[in-house]
Amino acid sequence: IVTAGIYGLAERAPDHVRHRAIPAAKTLLLLIVLSAGCLAIQRNRVWSSGVSLWTDCVRKSPACARAWLNLGSEWHDRRAYDSALTAYSRAIEANPAFAEAYYSRAITFYAMGDMESAIVDFDRTLELDRSFRQAARYRSVAAAGCKGK
């Protein structure tokens, strides 16, 4: 819009100014288009996967518990459980009252077969949110798994 305005003004300028102003406006427009294209390519790389998106987000906002939770979920979905645990722990550091982060970390412990750690986090989830039914269900299953050992 700015460039179009400058170009419009350049066309209305007196002849002695116009021969310089129009090429300058075209050059400015070209630079803006190239810059926007480069920025779009860069953002496309960030959005290419959930891991890259949320990694970029936590790099820019390291205190955002929700971003850490989402990064952990991406790692969990890829069965990169150690990375998921690290991300969930960072979410908990950012917000110690974040029940969903404890629940997600418990699910990861559960997936790894570490029922004792899972139970600890399911219990913490339920302390923070008594209505978290999935946590209660999985806690019961994890407890049954511990008794079977």
Side-chain angles (χ1 to χ4, degrees), residues 2-3 27-37:
V2 172
T3 306
T27 302
L28 180 60
L29 177 61
L30 179 64
L31 289 174
I32 290 172
V33 168
L34 288 174
S35 296

Side-chain angles (χ1 to χ4, degrees), residues 83-107:
S83 295
L85 289 175
T86 299
Y88 293 141
S89 295
R90 292 292 302 267
I92 292 165
E93 287 174 27
N95 181 359
F98 195 11
E100 193 174 347
Y102 285 99
Y103 173 77
S104 296
R105 191 171 70 176
I107 290 294

